[in-house]
């Protein structure tokens, strides 16, 4: 018995469909991440948007938020909180540096004023 293979056009059609779906998912992910303040999209959410929900995938269960979304969001929030803390510390260090520089400038101003007063006392005009 000779086994017949599907025609090559079937394989080409499947390959084109796969490429089109991959391109669509990359586009969805790019558009999502381009939004200001966007949280990275999970693979599950990307699949739902890119492939659309179809009945019968999981019989008797509807698509529902997964725990992975909450985990990613929690990790992302923790990451952002750490970044905020780092920035607050840098701002504090910079504020202290500015205050020290201002104090140094004030000291130099007083020294210069003292020198100028001395020179005027000695008869120098300038």
């Amino acid at each position: 018995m000779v086994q017949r293979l599907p025609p090559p056009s079937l394989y080409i059609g499947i390959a084109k469909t796969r490429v089109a779906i991959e391109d669509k998912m990359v586009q969805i992910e790019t558009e999502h991440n381009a939004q200001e303040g966007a949280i990275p999209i999970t693979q599950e959410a990307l699949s739902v948007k890119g492939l659309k929900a179809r009945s019968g995938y999981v019989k008797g269960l509807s698509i529902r938020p997964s725990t992975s979304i909450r985990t990613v969001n929690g990790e992302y929030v923790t990451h952002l909180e750490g970044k905020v803390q780092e920035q607050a510390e840098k701002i504090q260090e910079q504020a202290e540096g500015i205050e020290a520089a201002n104090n140094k400038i004030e000291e130099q101003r007083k020294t210069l004023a003292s020198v100028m007063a001395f020179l005027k006392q000695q008869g120098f005009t300038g």
Side-chain angles (χ1 to χ4, degrees):
M1 176 190 278
V2 176
Q3 186 178 17
R4 299 193 75 201
L5 297 174
S9 60
L10 178 65
Y11 293 114
I12 293 170
I14 291 170
K16 286 181 181 178
T17 302
R18 178 178 176 212
V19 169
I21 290 171
E22 287 174 352
D23 289 346
K24 181 179 179 182
M25 293 179 93
V26 167
Q27 179 185 1
I28 290 169
E29 186 173 26
T30 303
E31 289 172 359
H32 176 83
N33 291 337
Q35 297 172 6
E36 189 174 329
I39 295 172
I41 191 167
T42 63
Q43 290 299 314
E44 182 180 3
L46 182 61
S47 295
V48 169
K49 283 186 175 185
L51 299 175
K52 305 291 181 214
R54 294 190 182 127
S55 63
Y57 277 168
V58 180
K59 212 168 193 152
L61 297 176
S62 61
I63 294 181
R64 55 187 162 32
S66 74
T67 56
S68 65
I69 292 173
R70 287 188 290 273
T71 302
V72 168
N73 288 348
E75 291 170 359
Y76 190 65
V77 167
T78 302
H79 169 74
L80 291 177
E81 288 171 343
K83 288 287 189 186
V84 168
Q85 183 63 33
E86 286 176 23
Q87 291 300 316
E89 290 169 3
K90 285 181 183 178
I91 290 169
Q92 181 63 35
E93 289 173 11
Q94 290 173 346
E96 291 169 1
I98 290 169
E99 187 176 346
N102 285 338
N103 290 339
K104 183 81 170 173
I105 290 169
E106 184 60 26
E107 287 175 25
Q108 290 173 346
R109 187 194 64 75
K110 288 178 182 178
T111 302
L112 182 60
S114 172
V115 168
M116 292 299 291
F118 173 76
L119 291 174
K120 283 183 184 178
Q121 224 177 28
Q122 297 298 316
F124 290 100
T125 58

